[in-house]
Amino acid sequence: DIVMTQSPDSLAVSLGERATINCKSSQSVLNTSNNKNYLVWYQQKSGQPPNVLIYWASTRESGVPDRFSGSGSGTDFTLTISSLQAEDVAVYYCQQYYSTPRTFGQGTKLEIK
Amino acid sequence: QVQLVQSGAEVKKPGASVKVSCKAPADTFTRHYMHWVRQAPGQGLEWMGIINPSGGSTTYAQKFQGRVTMTRDTSTNTVYMEMSSLRSEDTAVYYCARDRGLGGGWLDRWGQGTLVTVSS
């Protein structure tokens, strides 16, 4: 199984500042035949199901604000929120869809400082 | 917005079984695989398995093999997740979620979740 490890576990950032969340996979999730990284980022607000932010490691889902961006390749990935807004308070998860079982990171809790 | 509508909360005793349903729009049912994911209170997301609603084929996480069965009813566009031999550690919110493609994609739409409480 591919193990997904996020860092940090929790993060407090001031409004308007940058937030960065990291995700590391135990094996590469890059498919060299199509040059795509099988990595997705979800946002989960309290009491709600998760919501897709970024797929293919760096493609923003329709309707997601452009302050959210994803980067990385192979085994190391980053979710960046360029200017934190109050509504961004949530838990963020990465997940690989390269292989079964699909595995999630443990989550990163983002709060306002 | 695609709506996946799940059944209501359940309270079960240890050793019992539970069956959670997830109704999807017709086009979702025929074009997309469906996953089940659970989340224990205050914990992270745990992938349980996937079903092809059209053909009925399934793949389960090893942890749930033998205890979870995923099925579908094509006449009502509904997928089901049944778990047997429940224990307190199975207390969680259970989500169905749509695969963006034919089993090789991310989970792009989620149901509202079904809370299953296992308690004596």
Side-chain angles (χ1 to χ4, degrees):
Chain A
D1 299 2
I2 298 177
V3 177
M4 307 299 290
T5 304
Q6 292 181 226
S7 61
D9 290 335
S10 63
L11 182 62
V13 174
S14 301
L15 289 173
E17 295 299 304
R18 179 185 299 261
T20 301
I21 298 170
N22 300 301
C23 175
K24 188 174 183 67
S25 58
S26 62
Q27 304 170 39
S28 176
V29 297
L30 172 65
N31 185 332
T32 55
S33 64
N34 59 12
N35 202 36
K36 288 183 180 291
N37 287 283
Y38 284 55
L39 189 284
V40 59
W41 288 97
Y42 301 99
Q43 176 193 63
Q44 186 179 32
K45 297 183 178 180
S46 181
Q48 298 182 19
N51 193 43
V52 175
L53 293 174
I54 305 282
Y55 55 90
W56 298 131
S58 61
T59 302
R60 198 178 305 114
E61 175 74 304
S62 175
V64 172
D66 60 7
R67 64 179 180 274
F68 291 91
S69 63
S71 63
S73 185
T75 61
D76 291 278
F77 301 91
T78 300
L79 174 70
T80 301
I81 307 172
S82 60
S83 177
L84 190 70
Q85 305 299 303
E87 61 264 32
D88 300 335
V89 168
V91 180
Y92 293 84
Y93 295 93
C94 61
Q95 184 204 17
Q96 62 81 20
Y97 49 100
Y98 183 85
S99 66
T100 297
R102 310 293 176 85
T103 43
F104 292 89
Q106 79 276 19
T108 295
K109 185 175 184 179
L110 178 58
E111 299 174 313
I112 305 295
K113 185 186 292 183
Chain B
Q1 182 78 327
V2 172
Q3 292 262 20
L4 302 177
V5 181
Q6 298 185 221
S7 50
E10 303 263 12
V11 179
K12 296 292 183 181
K13 293 194 183 303
S17 297
V18 69
K19 192 170 186 177
V20 179
S21 67
C22 170
K23 185 172 175 60
D27 60 344
T28 289
F29 198 81
T30 56
R31 296 179 187 178
H32 297 269
Y33 284 40
M34 298 291 288
H35 300 257
W36 288 91
V37 174
R38 77 176 184 179
Q39 186 170 38
Q43 302 301 307
L45 301 166
E46 183 175 29
W47 185 82
M48 300 178 67
I50 185 172
I51 181 168
N52 172 4
S54 291
S57 61
T58 55
T59 300
Y60 303 121
Q62 188 169 11
K63 175 177 180 176
F64 300 104
Q65 287 270 7
R67 207 161 66 92
V68 165
T69 305
M70 296 177 187
T71 57
R72 92 290 192 214
D73 182 340
T74 56
S75 67
T76 60
N77 300 330
T78 302
V79 293
Y80 299 91
M81 187 286 300
E82 184 169 21
M83 180 178 285
S84 62
S85 303
L86 289 168
R87 33 201 188 238
S88 59
E89 311 90 87
D90 296 317
T91 293
V93 175
Y94 289 76
Y95 294 103
C96 63
R98 186 182 82 165
D99 191 283
R100 181 62 169 256
L102 295 176
W106 58 98
L107 282 58
D108 72 342
R109 295 291 185 270
W110 294 64
Q112 83 275 19
T114 297
L115 175 62
V116 175
T117 303
V118 183
S119 173
S120 54

